[in-house]
Amino acid sequence: MSTNFFQKPTQSPKHNVPQESAILTDLDPRVAVHYGIPSTASILAFDPIQRLLAIGTLDGRIKVIGGDNIEGLLLSSRPLPFKNLEFLENQGFLASVSNENEVQVWDLERRCITSNLQWESNITAFSVIYGTHYMYIGDEYGFLSVLKYDAEEGKILQLPYHIPANLITEASGISLPDHQSIVGVLSQPCSLGNRVLIAYENGLIILWDVTEDRAVLVKGCKDLQRKDDKVVDSPSDVKHEQFIDTEDSEQAEKEISSLCWVTSDGSILAVGYVDGDILLWNLSIAASSKDQQGQKASNNVIKLQLSSSDRRLPVIVLHCSGNRSHTDCEGQLFVYGGDEIGSEEVLTILNLDWSSGIESLKCVGRVDLTLNGSFADMILVSNGSATERSDISSLFVLSNPGQLHFYDDSCLAALMSHPEKKYSVPAIPYPGVIPTVEPYMTVGKLKLVQTEGSFSRALSETVSKAKDTTMSSKWPLTGGVPSPLSFAEGNGIKRVYIGGYQDGSVRIWDATFPVLSGILVLGSEVEGIEVAGTNASVSALDFLSSTSSLAVGNECGLVRLYRLIGNSDEMSLHYITETKREVHNLHGESGAQCTAIFSILNSPVRTLQYINSGGRLAVGFESGRVAMLDISSLSVLFFTDSLVSSSSPAISLAMQTFPTPSILDHSENRNETEKEVIFILTIDAHVVVIDSTMGNTISSLTMEEHSTELTAISLYILEGNVFSERSSENPLLISSQDPEAKTEPSQTNAHNECDLSETKSDTSAQAAYLGQSFMDSLVLLCCEDALHLYSLKSLIKGENKSICKVNLEKPCCWTTIFKKNGKACGLILVYQTGLIEIRSLPSLEMVGESSLMSIIRWNFKTSMSKTISSSDKGQIVLVNGCEVAFISLFAFENEFRIPGALPCLHDKVLEAAEDATVRLSQSQKKQGISAGILGGIIKGFKRDKTENSGVLIDGHKTIVEHLEGIFSRFPFSDLSTIIPDDLEFGLGIDDIDIDEPAPVTSSPPQKSKTERKDKEAEREKLFEGGSTDTKPRMRTAEEIRAKYRKDGDASSAASQARDKLVERQEKLEKLSRRTEELQSGAQNFADMASELAKTMEKRKWWNL
């Protein structure tokens, strides 16, 4: 495709399609790699089984962090904040609610939204039932709804079960003002999803039983006026207060702002209020008294105040961790808010003890944890597996901007051991894979590595030794599965990312796959020698993989040369200044070695460029001077004077080989050689062409037009053969386009085109072609406000007339050339507005555009232009604060788009292992299974030995099926049976289709068992769970309306009733005939049951 790129428009479009259309089609920007925490991070979620942490942002992004340097970034279609974020634990899905009330479910394996549902009203509360795919939603009108995520269909479904506020209040016997929003909804622990706690804005708390459709508990502000209520016996910094009786007119509603469970069995609830109060409600008495429906039980209420001030902050966040080692009677309450307005921002930790009963609860300790930045969110982390449920005493704290700290149990123990009110303990900071702030990154480079070289193999060995050293041993996140490709043998390092820092250090990572691994850390100091200025900020980098050479320039004008693969036998360091040369013999191990330090000019280094296959190094300084260093002799070949009178910084270097006049004239004198020239660009658009061997000036010209000063960005040499049309008459055209070109990829401030001197011309035809290529080559000058295209030949002659000029509507800050199939085919421009533009070469026509905001939700900052780097395949690396992003712009770029190259954010093996552990744990509790919901479910089945064993093994599945039956019906409808999906809700005799009986034949035992269970279930559904033992009960008006309400007028209703009576009579007659047939076949069923029992007795336990 690329061979037809720069076709003229006049040619037939049927056979030669311009490359511009191909570029537009190939443009497919995506974030291939993302490291760091966004500065807009605002909310946390944690999966205790998969050990994954999710961080939601204010701009519609979700950061997922696991172990082994595995991180992922999820982007929603709209840049909106998240109100809620929760994992569907151990299922590979993440649920979120946006600020515009869109419920989203994310597939972690596919890294995208798998389903979304737009909610019509404002969602004010959201909760996922633990271990299931069911979700509670509370809205601004007090309406409680249930959602289900169907993983097979990949859809969010709204289930029939929903409770309007008026139904709850009528069933509870209380009154509720209109439009009271639900501010909290929590599934009660140990209730297996049967009970949900609903908190309303005005302070009303209702514990609702979804199986019985009744309020188990109702609590509100009136419960605070009981004389027998007591206050907590707390330290001096927690206020004592005695509840007293007040008149009804003095009762004020207390608006709820947060809530959490204090105990693991859901018997104690902590509620935070807008006025700064914290109330601990004892729910154990009401929970055991089912006959007290909708009535207030005389249980205790404990009140905590963190400050005696009348003006206190709302209690925004409440979390509690219990201590199971002390019979669940001790715990720590984590509070954000509740302190005096204007006080220092802290996270308060209260030690609670209720071993003598909730009425004697005491606060035995308090610590205020100083935060690193303003508080955003916090979440508790279990130290054990989900089944063990050990002490939850570790926590993550998220603060602004984008700071994540982890406090393990030892940190918290150290906190509580100090009596000081405010104490700062060293937390474990987020161990960023690529540090950008501490230390501060100043320069970044993305470089290709020749895979066939020894350097790639040596680096691979270094990476294998250096893996797993980034993460702290105490860091709790271990989730995710690395890509199998990263462990495959024979995969050498193909790409490295190099970062230079403000402290003078340099770090190198393996960037072959989307999970980066650290390779080397080069400090600024060199052991055995002291050199002033080595710890200055790194300002320029260049790397050449063929010789494993790294050049580092800093703000003090020092240039350090490293050989990354060396041995201990050659440890010598050369220190070269303007006046002297020193050689120091050093002792050390094999590996990266600093071979030379050049201190020849007290001016910051602005650009570095290896030329002549690494034999020389060109150095451009802030003062506008350029030095040429000889790498083999470690000496200075020449030093230019200031290129322009204004001493404008040299910002870009480009090297080109051009033929001598004898070659251009097709001379047969083979003693003539080619010349290497260097094009030097200063920031004021001054171009100087010099001889790379002697430093002689060939031409010097200023690109100013009409006395308008230009601000240059970069300069590129576009070889002439790149733009020649495909021609069968010139076989050398194709052979000269080796994509691995003994070239290095284009970078931030310098573009090193193919070194044609490395391709030796053995024939006069090759020499002639080389001369023609030079004649056709172009020079592209990129400035802030315009693009200029010049003939290379004219610049050599000192002519500055451009052959093409494109004015830019917005100021540009960075550019690079990208290639396809080894040929330069386009120009990438990044504007100060964050817009990314793609232009064709050499026509410079715009063929595509995108933006940082649409790709990664970034606003461009001026400092970002110093760290932008790229490869020649359209891969761009950007740094923004704490974030580092590798962006792949084109679909034809395959390095970061290989299927299976990305690590998986969900471990299916761990999911299966955890499920097996849960089933084993349930089977070990066989004796106690009769109590609770599981026992109730099992009563509906045939109670033989084999069936009970199956229920125990699939206990979790049974609970899910039970919840499906609850939520697949309307409230106040019959719950005697679990209704499958293929039957309508509210099934009665009028809704059953009775077919004529089929002949009864003998069937295998397992088939007969299935048929028997189906018929028993059908009979239960037919009679709606009724039996002779049950007594009729009075139905409420709401139940009757919900079951029998029909649309239409009275006449149509009467007609429907008459038709139903006729249909009922027919069905009763069929039932009578069916009963007789069943009686005649009873003996057959008895024989089959006996045969089944004998068969099951012979089966081993592993067959069950």
Side-chain angles (χ1 to χ4, degrees):
M1 187 189 304
S2 62
T3 53
N4 295 330
F5 179 48
F6 296 103
Q7 302 282 352
K8 296 181 180 179
T10 56
Q11 296 189 1
S12 173
K14 297 181 180 180
H15 305 286
N16 300 301
V17 179
Q19 187 69 23
E20 284 85 342
S21 60
I23 296 176
L24 186 59
T25 303
D26 290 337
L27 184 61
D28 180 25
R30 66 176 62 179
V31 180
V33 181
H34 182 274
Y35 283 113
I37 299 174
S39 59
T40 56
S42 60
I43 188 171
L44 297 175
F46 180 69
D47 190 330
I49 301 175
Q50 293 286 328
R51 311 300 290 182
L52 290 172
L53 182 71
I55 306 174
T57 68
L58 299 175
D59 50 23
R61 293 181 292 166
I62 298 177
K63 178 72 177 187
V64 181
I65 304 176
D68 297 326
N69 298 349
I70 296 175
E71 298 185 15
L73 186 69
L74 312 177
L75 277 81
S76 61
S77 58
R78 302 164 70 187
L80 299 173
F82 293 104
K83 295 193 289 187
N84 303 94
L85 187 67
E86 288 193 41
F87 278 97
L88 303 184
E89 293 182 1
N90 201 35
Q91 300 179 59
F93 299 102
L94 185 66
S96 63
V97 179
S98 71
N99 250 23
E100 292 194 355
N101 306 299
E102 183 183 27
V103 183
Q104 305 162 337
V105 174
W106 303 78
D107 188 330
L108 296 180
E109 187 175 0
R110 297 166 52 199
R111 302 193 181 202
C112 65
I113 294 179
T114 182
S115 180
N116 62 313
L117 178 65
Q118 183 63 49
W119 205 253
E120 295 181 358
S121 57
N122 183 30
I123 297 176
T124 54
F126 179 83
S127 178
V128 176
I129 301 179
Y130 170 75
T132 72
H133 43 261
Y134 297 100
M135 296 162 273
Y136 285 118
I137 283 184
D139 68 7
E140 58 183 332
Y141 303 113
F143 205 96
L144 181 68
S145 303
V146 180
L147 301 183
K148 167 191 173 182
Y149 176 68
D150 192 324
E152 295 182 357
E153 296 185 5
K155 293 182 180 179
I156 301 175
L157 306 176
Q158 183 176 356
L159 300 182
Y161 194 90
H162 61 277
I163 311 176
N166 61 334
L167 287 185
I168 294 180
T169 55
E170 291 178 9
S172 306
I174 60 175
S175 61
L176 186 68
D178 294 336
H179 304 302
Q180 281 294 320
S181 61
I182 297 177
V183 296
V185 54
L186 297 175
S187 179
Q188 187 180 35
C190 300
S191 70
L192 302 177
N194 287 343
R195 289 179 177 175
V196 57
L197 186 130
I198 308 170
Y200 290 90
E201 185 179 11
N202 67 340
L204 183 65
I205 300 172
I206 297 178
L207 184 62
W208 185 264
D209 193 311
V210 297
T211 60
E212 301 177 0
D213 296 324
R214 70 181 184 93
V216 178
L217 167 72
V218 178
K219 283 292 182 181
C221 301
K222 294 182 180 180
D223 295 289
L224 301 180
Q225 282 78 48
R226 301 188 188 281
K227 289 184 178 180
D228 58 345
D229 285 336
K230 298 181 180 180
V231 296
V232 63
D233 184 10
S234 59
S236 58
D237 56 348
V238 178
K239 182 183 176 183
H240 291 252
E241 182 174 335
Q242 179 70 45
F243 296 129
I244 59 175
D245 286 330
T246 59
E247 298 295 333
D248 291 342
S249 59
E250 298 179 7
Q251 295 177 5
E253 294 182 348
K254 294 174 67 68
E255 185 176 346
I256 295 176
S257 55
S258 60
L259 69 162
C260 72
W261 294 109
V262 176
T263 55
S264 60
D265 60 355
S267 59
I268 301 178
L269 177 73
V271 182
Y273 295 87
V274 173
D275 60 3
D277 286 346
I278 301 174
L279 298 184
L280 304 181
W281 298 86
N282 182 12
L283 311 183
S284 57
I285 299 177
S288 61
S289 305
K290 293 185 178 180
D291 56 341
Q292 300 177 358
Q293 177 177 350
Q295 298 181 3
K296 306 182 182 106
S298 59
N299 42 336
N300 299 322
V301 180
I302 309 300
K303 182 176 182 179
L304 297 177
Q305 285 186 346
L306 302 185
S307 173
S308 58
S309 173
D310 294 334
R311 300 176 67 250
R312 288 169 290 150
L313 295 168
V315 180
I316 299 175
V317 176
L318 275 180
H319 289 287
C320 190
S321 65
N323 192 337
R324 289 184 175 274
S325 60
H326 294 77
T327 64
D328 204 14
C329 292
E330 294 181 3
Q332 294 176 332
L333 186 64
F334 298 83
V335 185
Y336 176 70
D339 220 333
E340 183 180 1
I341 294 178
S343 60
E344 182 182 0
E345 191 173 9
V346 295
L347 179 65
T348 302
I349 306 176
L350 302 178
N351 264 3
L352 303 180
D353 180 9
W354 58 92
S355 56
S356 300
I358 184 63
E359 65 278 0
S360 302
L361 183 144
K362 298 180 180 180
C363 178
V364 296
R366 167 178 175 169
V367 170
D368 288 348
L369 177 62
T370 304
L371 302 175
N372 298 289
S374 61
F375 179 85
D377 197 11
M378 64 155 289
I379 195 167
L380 296 177
V381 176
S382 172
N383 294 332
S385 65
T387 53
E388 294 173 357
R389 291 292 173 187
S390 63
D391 300 348
I392 307 178
S393 56
S394 303
L395 76 151
F396 280 104
V397 177
L398 178 66
S399 56
N400 296 314
Q403 300 181 62
L404 182 68
H405 290 84
F406 174 67
Y407 297 84
D408 62 1
D409 48 2
S410 60
C411 289
L412 297 180
L415 274 173
M416 303 310 298
S417 63
H418 289 74
E420 292 87 355
K421 181 178 179 180
K422 292 182 175 62
Y423 180 73
S424 179
V425 66
I428 303 174
Y430 161 70
V433 178
I434 302 179
T436 59
V437 177
E438 295 181 2
Y440 182 77
M441 181 182 288
T442 55
V443 181
K445 292 288 182 180
L446 181 64
K447 287 287 188 176
L448 298 180
V449 176
Q450 294 182 358
T451 56
E452 67 275 5
S454 59
F455 177 69
S456 176
R457 295 190 297 270
L459 279 186
S460 299
E461 297 176 359
T462 304
V463 170
S464 62
K465 297 177 182 178
K467 280 188 176 180
D468 302 329
T469 58
T470 305
M471 290 293 181
S472 169
S473 58
K474 294 184 178 181
W475 193 249
L477 304 180
T478 59
V481 182
S483 168
L485 295 178
S486 60
F487 296 100
E489 296 183 0
N491 285 336
I493 294 179
K494 302 178 182 179
R495 192 181 303 103
V496 294
Y497 181 67
I498 307 173
Y501 290 86
Q502 197 172 47
D503 60 1
S505 63
V506 176
R507 289 168 169 80
I508 305 177
W509 292 269
D510 174 15
T512 305
F513 296 102
V515 177
L516 273 64
S517 301
I519 300 176
L520 294 172
V521 178
L522 305 175
S524 59
E525 303 292 337
V526 180
E527 295 183 4
I529 181 174
E530 294 184 3
V531 178
T534 55
N535 59 351
S537 176
V538 176
S539 58
L541 293 169
D542 198 26
F543 170 72
L544 191 63
S545 65
S546 59
T547 58
S548 69
S549 301
L550 174 67
V552 181
N554 66 15
E555 293 289 342
C556 289
L558 267 63
V559 178
R560 305 198 307 266
L561 303 182
Y562 290 90
R563 186 167 60 248
L564 300 184
I565 304 299
N567 54 70
S568 58
D569 298 334
E570 301 177 1
M571 290 296 291
S572 61
L573 171 65
H574 296 255
Y575 178 50
I576 301 98
T577 65
E578 293 179 283
T579 59
K580 64 179 180 179
R581 179 189 184 97
E582 300 176 2
V583 179
H584 300 266
N585 294 322
L586 306 178
H587 301 282
E589 300 178 355
S590 59
Q593 301 174 1
C594 183
T595 59
I597 299 178
F598 288 85
S599 179
I600 53 180
L601 186 63
N602 187 19
S603 176
V605 178
R606 283 292 165 256
T607 181
L608 295 170
Q609 183 73 56
Y610 278 108
I611 64 174
N612 194 24
S613 300
R616 282 169 289 176
L617 178 69
V619 184
F621 292 91
E622 179 79 20
S623 61
R625 302 182 67 183
V626 175
M628 183 64 69
L629 310 181
D630 186 88
I631 303 302
S632 58
S633 62
L634 296 178
S635 60
V636 181
L637 293 179
F638 62 84
F639 216 132
T640 67
D641 295 329
S642 181
L643 301 177
V644 291
S645 58
S646 62
S647 300
S648 181
I651 61 171
S652 183
L653 301 173
M655 189 274 298
Q656 175 73 345
T657 300
F658 74 95
T660 60
S662 59
I663 294 181
L664 289 175
D665 297 336
H666 307 292
S667 173
E668 296 183 1
N669 185 0
R670 299 189 178 183
N671 293 327
E672 295 290 345
T673 59
E674 303 163 355
K675 278 191 176 182
E676 286 181 345
V677 296
I678 298 178
F679 290 77
I680 304 170
L681 174 67
T682 63
I683 198 169
D684 58 357
H686 193 87
V687 177
V688 179
V689 184
I690 65 173
D691 181 1
S692 66
T693 305
M694 304 301 296
N696 300 324
T697 300
I698 299 175
S699 66
S700 176
L701 61 161
T702 301
M703 301 303 179
E704 297 181 2
E705 297 183 359
H706 306 293
S707 301
T708 302
E709 294 186 1
L710 301 177
T711 301
I713 299 175
S714 56
L715 180 143
Y716 306 97
I717 298 177
L718 310 177
E719 295 185 8
N721 52 24
V722 174
F723 310 108
S724 301
E725 299 178 6
R726 182 188 297 268
S727 174
S728 59
E729 298 177 358
N730 189 1
L732 296 175
L733 178 64
I734 300 176
S735 64
S736 64
Q737 301 303 320
D738 183 6
E740 298 298 329
K742 301 167 179 110
T743 72
E744 289 297 317
S746 56
Q747 293 297 339
T748 306
N749 293 321
H751 183 75
N752 181 15
E753 291 292 337
C754 295
D755 187 355
L756 298 180
S757 64
E758 294 180 356
T759 306
K760 297 181 180 180
S761 300
D762 296 330
T763 64
S764 59
Q766 290 176 329
Y769 173 73
L770 181 62
Q772 185 62 41
S773 174
F774 167 75
M775 298 292 290
D776 297 335
S777 295
L778 303 174
V779 175
L780 175 62
L781 174 62
C782 302
C783 300
E784 280 190 359
D785 56 357
L787 304 176
H788 303 264
L789 200 62
Y790 301 90
S791 168
L792 185 144
K793 183 179 179 180
S794 65
L795 290 183
I796 295 293
K797 294 180 179 180
E799 301 173 359
N800 66 346
K801 184 177 181 180
S802 62
I803 60 177
C804 179
K805 178 184 176 181
V806 176
N807 293 321
L808 304 178
E809 297 180 357
K810 298 170 286 293
C812 180
C813 61
W814 182 85
T815 62
T816 188
I817 297 287
F818 68 92
K819 298 180 180 180
K820 184 174 182 181
N821 299 329
K823 296 182 179 181
C825 60
L827 176 69
I828 302 174
L829 301 94
V830 178
Y831 292 91
Q832 295 179 11
T833 59
L835 181 69
I836 299 177
E837 197 174 76
I838 313 298
R839 290 183 176 268
S840 63
L841 291 177
S843 63
L844 298 179
E845 295 180 0
M846 190 183 73
V847 294
E849 65 178 5
S850 185
S851 68
L852 292 178
M853 180 58 67
S854 62
I855 297 174
I856 197 172
R857 308 287 160 75
W858 283 1
N859 289 313
F860 187 83
K861 301 176 182 177
T862 306
S863 58
M864 292 172 56
S865 60
K866 298 180 180 180
T867 53
I868 302 181
S869 60
S870 67
S871 71
D872 58 1
K873 297 183 179 180
Q875 302 159 344
I876 301 178
V877 184
L878 302 100
V879 177
N880 181 23
C882 299
E883 301 178 70
V884 180
F886 288 61
I887 298 177
S888 174
L889 290 177
F890 303 105
F892 64 76
E893 184 274 305
N894 197 37
E895 279 78 2
F896 286 151
R897 298 173 183 249
I898 301 174
L902 283 174
C904 187
L905 297 178
H906 178 66
D907 191 344
K908 292 185 177 180
V909 176
L910 178 59
E911 176 186 358
E914 186 67 24
D915 290 342
T917 303
V918 171
R919 290 196 298 268
L920 179 61
S921 175
Q922 291 173 349
S923 64
Q924 292 174 349
K925 298 177 182 179
K926 178 179 178 180
Q927 299 299 327
I929 200 64
S930 59
I933 185 62
L934 286 180
I937 296 174
I938 295 174
K939 290 178 183 179
F941 297 106
K942 182 76 174 179
R943 290 199 173 190
D944 57 36
K945 180 178 179 180
T946 57
E947 288 180 343
N948 279 334
S949 300
V951 171
L952 288 170
I953 293 175
D954 296 330
H956 179 266
K957 182 179 179 181
T958 305
I959 296 173
V960 173
E961 291 177 351
H962 169 70
L963 294 178
E964 180 72 20
I966 294 175
F967 297 137
S968 297
R969 64 182 181 90
F970 294 100
F972 306 107
S973 58
D974 195 8
L975 190 61
S976 60
T977 59
I978 299 175
I979 304 174
D981 294 336
D982 56 349
L983 294 180
E984 297 181 359
F985 301 104
L987 190 64
I989 187 173
D990 298 329
D991 302 314
I992 299 178
D993 294 329
I994 304 177
D995 299 327
E996 292 299 327
V1000 179
T1001 58
S1002 178
S1003 60
Q1006 302 215 2
K1007 183 177 179 181
S1008 65
K1009 175 183 174 181
T1010 303
E1011 292 178 350
R1012 184 177 68 253
K1013 291 177 63 177
D1014 292 341
K1015 292 178 180 179
E1016 288 176 356
E1018 182 179 344
R1019 184 179 185 279
E1020 291 183 6
K1021 295 161 190 169
L1022 175 63
F1023 294 100
E1024 299 184 345
S1027 66
T1028 57
D1029 298 332
T1030 60
K1031 296 181 179 180
R1033 65 180 180 89
M1034 184 70 67
R1035 295 191 181 186
T1036 65
E1038 291 294 339
E1039 293 180 77
I1040 296 173
R1041 281 195 293 268
K1043 186 173 183 61
Y1044 297 105
R1045 180 167 47 205
K1046 303 292 183 180
D1047 297 331
D1049 54 12
S1051 60
S1052 61
S1055 176
Q1056 291 179 5
R1058 184 173 59 255
D1059 295 340
K1060 287 289 184 180
L1061 288 175
V1062 175
E1063 186 177 352
R1064 175 186 289 265
Q1065 180 64 30
E1066 296 176 353
K1067 290 183 177 181
L1068 288 175
E1069 293 175 357
K1070 292 181 179 179
L1071 282 175
S1072 177
R1073 292 195 300 270
R1074 178 70 60 84
T1075 301
E1076 295 176 358
E1077 294 170 357
L1078 289 175
Q1079 289 176 349
S1080 63
Q1083 186 61 40
N1084 293 336
F1085 279 94
D1087 295 340
M1088 284 187 287
S1090 177
E1091 183 181 352
L1092 176 62
K1094 293 179 182 180
T1095 303
M1096 297 307 296
E1097 288 177 358
K1098 296 178 182 179
R1099 298 181 66 180
K1100 303 298 182 181
W1101 62 270
W1102 57 81
N1103 297 128
L1104 298 178

